[in-house]
Amino acid sequence: MARKYRLGVTRKAVNAVVKALLARGIPVAGATGWLLTTRGRKSGADRTTPVNVVEVAGDRWLVSPYGTVGWVHNLRAGATARLWRGRTRETWEVEEADAATAGPVLRAYVRKIPVTAPFFDAKLTDPPEAFAAEADRHPVFRLARSRA
């Protein structure tokens, strides 16, 4: 059974360090680490969190390995993702993937960022269909056309 994500003191501290490094343009987690800023669906305030972007089949994808977290709700409500790292800024519209589309993306994500593997029931060696079965617990968004 997959582990459940808990945002504890340690994770908050790690996120703060990662955010500071990414804000200065220092790559974290290879070249996949970005800061994602979304507009709060209730407050309207900007919310920023570190994320990883994975490229699969020529498209760029945002994956929520820890489930339906705050930024997922915000993207569903606003459909605009602002990604930044250092001086690089990108604004994207997002489209949530269906389970069949999400399966190969989730598999690629876990292979690229294996620290997230304990949060999935599917194993690294499983076929994409095993990951597709978990798509409802791990939302996947395709970064569509750039608006900036």
Side-chain angles (χ1 to χ4, degrees):
M1 183 160 184
R3 268 181 37 198
K4 186 166 175 74
Y5 178 74
R6 302 227 189 273
L7 184 61
V9 174
T10 303
R11 175 57 71 178
K12 286 180 182 179
V14 168
N15 281 351
V17 170
V18 169
K19 283 171 77 171
L21 291 171
L22 289 171
R24 287 169 181 72
I26 301 169
V28 179
T32 64
W34 289 85
L35 291 171
L36 168 68
T37 300
T38 58
R39 176 134 350 239
R41 67 195 176 283
K42 293 180 183 177
S43 69
D46 283 348
R47 304 290 185 203
T48 301
T49 190
V51 296
N52 288 296
V53 175
V54 66
E55 189 169 324
V56 177
D59 286 318
R60 294 175 70 195
W61 302 86
L62 278 174
V63 173
S64 182
Y66 308 120
T68 307
V69 293
W71 66 261
V72 171
H73 292 291
N74 293 343
L75 282 182
R76 285 176 175 164
T80 300
R82 290 176 286 156
L83 294 172
W84 59 286
R85 177 174 55 208
R87 293 183 181 169
T88 303
R89 306 272 194 265
E90 300 176 354
T91 301
W92 297 86
E93 289 185 14
V94 297
E95 299 169 354
E96 190 163 3
D98 60 24
T101 304
V105 176
L106 290 169
R107 183 176 185 225
Y109 186 91
V110 172
R111 285 183 168 184
K112 185 156 185 93
I113 304 154
V115 70
T116 62
F119 299 95
F120 289 80
D121 287 325
K123 304 300 174 221
L124 290 171
T125 56
D126 287 345
E129 295 78 23
F131 286 92
E134 295 190 53
D136 62 324
R137 291 186 321 221
H138 304 284
V140 174
F141 297 88
R142 184 172 70 86
L143 297 174
R145 68 185 193 286
S146 177
R147 297 189 325 145

